[in-house]
Amino acid sequence: MGTGIGAYFRYCGLNTHWKALDFNRNLDYVTDDQMHRTKPVYRPTPIKMIKTILGAANRTHLIHAFLRLVSSMCVILLLAGCIQQEDAEDASENKKAQVQDSVQRGGVYRYPLMSNPSTLDPVYVLDQYGVPVVRQLFEGLVQFGPYLTVLPALAQTWQVDNAGRTYRFHLRRDARFHNGHPVTAEDAIFSIRRLLRANPPPTILPQLLKIEGAGAYRDRQSDGIRGLMRINDHEFAVTLIEPHVPFLSALGMYQAAIVPKLEIENNGKKFGRSPVGSGPFRFVSWTTDDSIQLDRFPNYYAGDAYLDKILYRIYPGVQIDRALSDFRTGRLEEMPVYGNIRQVLSEGKDYQWFHRPSLSLLFYGIRSDHPVLKNAELRKALSKAIDRNKLVQQVYDDQFEPARSILPPGMPGHKNMEELLSYDMTVARKHMNQALKDDRGTPPADRNCFRVPVRLCPQRTGLCSQPLGAARVT
C-alpha cells in the first residue's frame, strides 16, 4: 500500500532481510516501501494546540476574566513542564525538513523481481513478486505505521460506535484513481463485497466475515450485505456481528486495497494485467519476463513521490546470477542478498548494505496427513531433532533469525517458545520411542527408521500438497 503521509517500514519483526545497494549512482537509495515518500505534513503538538485554543477563546471573549486567569495559570504550569519537550519536537521537525530538502528528486529506480507476478489485481495476489508492485499502485482505507499502528490512508478519519460493532469511515475528498475519477464510498463498498466472493479466498476473509450478512453473501444466499451502508459519496458504515479488534487491521492489508468499481465492471478480466489504483504510482506497462513500469501519479492525495518512475526488472525462475550481473553493471539500484551473493559483492566496489527486519516466516512443511506423520510424537521428534541455529548459520549464512513463534517479535500475542523449539536429541529420541510404541501408527518392519514421503518447501505462505522424495528418520 502507499503510505499516505510520510513513509513507513511495513516489514518488522521475525526474519532479517539483506540488500546490497549502489550509492555511487545518480539516485539516492530508497527501499520499495520508501519509493513514494511525500513532503512532511505539519502536525501541531498538544502544547501548540492548547495555545491556539486559548488564544481563540480570549479573542472572542467567550470566557470570563477569572476563568482566563485560572486557565492561564494552568497553561503556564503546563508549559513550564513541557517547554523542553516542545523545543525538542521543534528541533526534530526542523531536522526532518532539512533531510527532506536534501533528498534528490526525480529519476528511475530499478528494482529486481525474481519472477513474474501472477497478477497485479490485489485481491488475487498470492506470490511475493506482485506485492511490492501493488503496494505502489493501490491504497487501502488504512495503513500501518512503523510499529504496526493503524493510521489513516484513503479513510481520513473514522468513528467506532455501537459498542465496537460499527465503523463509520470518512474518505478523503482529494483522493483520485489513476483514471481521474474520485475515490467514493461506492468504490469502497464494492471492494469489500468483491473480497468476500474472491476465490481463492484472501487471507483476511475470516476478519471480513465478521460483517453482518457477509457469510450469506459469500455463500450466495443473499445478494446484499446488511452490514455495509453507504451514507454519501464520501462516507459509509460497516457493522459487525460482534466487536472484533483485528477487523480494522485487516483493512490495512494489501488485499483490501480500494479498486475503482467502473474499471472492474468494464475491464474485469484484464484488470490484473492493466490495473488502476489510487497509489503514488500509476501503471504504464508490463512485458512478461522482462519488466513492469510505473510512473509517478501527479494527483496523489499525499503529494508527489520522490521518483519519476519505478522499473521492475523481471528475472523469471529466480535468475539470481543474471540479476547480480545487472546490479554490478549498473542496471539495478538494489540487489537481494541470497547465498554467497554477500561474499561476492563484498569483494568488489564499495556498496552500501541494508539490513532490516521482515514480517515473514520461512518454514519447512511436513505432510501431517501421512499415515506415519500424523503421529504427533513423531512430529515432536522431528521438531526437537532440528538444530535451527545451525540451519540458519550453515544453510542461510546467518541471513535469517531462528523463528521462536509463529508471530514475530513486536507483534501482539508473540510468545517466545524457545524451550519448546530448542534442539535436544535426548528428548527427540524419547518422542521417537513413544511414536514407535504408539498403536495409532503402523510400525514399519525396520523399527530403527521410517521412510515417509515428504516435501521440503521453504516458502512464506501456504502448505505443501504433494509429496516429493523420501526422508529417512533415524
Side-chain angles (χ1 to χ4, degrees), residues 142-207:
V142 298
Q143 60 188 328
F144 297 110
Y147 300 103
L148 299 184
T149 306
V150 177
L151 300 174
L154 290 178
Q156 190 168 18
T157 60
W158 60 87
Q159 291 88 40
V160 184
D161 301 313
N162 193 15
R165 291 181 53 217
T166 300
Y167 292 78
R168 181 165 176 165
F169 294 97
H170 303 261
L171 302 180
R172 297 180 184 274
R173 294 179 179 272
D174 56 349
R176 293 287 185 273
F177 287 113
H178 300 154
N179 59 10
H181 296 170
V183 178
T184 67
E186 189 68 27
D187 295 309
I189 291 175
F190 171 80
S191 299
I192 296 174
R193 289 166 59 102
R194 186 168 178 252
L195 273 168
L196 286 168
R197 285 188 174 176
N199 279 307
T203 56
I204 60 174
L205 181 62
Q207 323 308 329

Side-chain angles (χ1 to χ4, degrees), residues 79-250:
L79 292 177
C82 300
I83 189 66
Q84 291 183 347
Q85 176 184 353
E86 182 180 348
D87 290 342
E89 290 174 347
D90 287 341
S92 176
E93 289 178 3
N94 291 334
K95 185 176 181 180
K96 290 179 181 178
Q98 292 175 0
V99 171
Q100 294 280 333
D101 292 338
S102 66
V103 173
Q104 182 175 339
R105 301 176 185 275
V108 180
Y109 192 83
R110 295 161 297 184
Y111 181 99
L113 291 179
M114 291 298 118
S115 191
N116 287 285
S118 58
T119 178
L120 294 181
D121 186 335
V123 173
Y124 298 106
V125 170
L126 297 176
D127 54 76
Q128 59 183 310
Y129 311 113
V131 174
V133 184
V134 301
R135 279 180 172 154
Q136 304 299 333
L137 289 171
F138 294 93
E139 290 273 306
L141 294 172
V142 298
Q143 60 188 328
F144 297 110
Y147 300 103
L148 299 184
T149 306
V150 177
L151 300 174
L154 290 178
Q156 190 168 18
T157 60
W158 60 87
Q159 291 88 40
V160 184
D161 301 313
N162 193 15
R165 291 181 53 217
T166 300
Y167 292 78
R168 181 165 176 165
F169 294 97
H170 303 261
L171 302 180
R172 297 180 184 274
R173 294 179 179 272
D174 56 349
R176 293 287 185 273
F177 287 113
H178 300 154
N179 59 10
H181 296 170
V183 178
T184 67
E186 189 68 27
D187 295 309
I189 291 175
F190 171 80
S191 299
I192 296 174
R193 289 166 59 102
R194 186 168 178 252
L195 273 168
L196 286 168
R197 285 188 174 176
N199 279 307
T203 56
I204 60 174
L205 181 62
Q207 323 308 329
L208 300 180
L209 288 176
K210 295 293 184 178
I211 300 173
E212 283 189 349
Y217 180 79
R218 176 166 178 80
D219 296 337
R220 301 187 181 274
Q221 298 174 0
S222 171
D223 291 331
I225 304 174
R226 61 180 179 272
L228 294 176
M229 183 180 70
R230 177 186 176 276
I231 299 172
N232 56 49
D233 282 349
H234 294 94
E235 295 181 31
F236 72 101
V238 181
T239 301
L240 310 181
I241 58 178
E242 61 183 356
H244 189 61
V245 174
F247 174 74
L248 194 61
S249 296

Side-chain angles (χ1 to χ4, degrees), residues 54 58 62-75:
L54 288 176
N58 280 318
L62 294 179
I63 56 178
H64 296 294
F66 176 73
L67 292 179
R68 286 201 300 268
L69 177 61
V70 174
S71 298
S72 299
M73 291 174 63
C74 294
V75 171

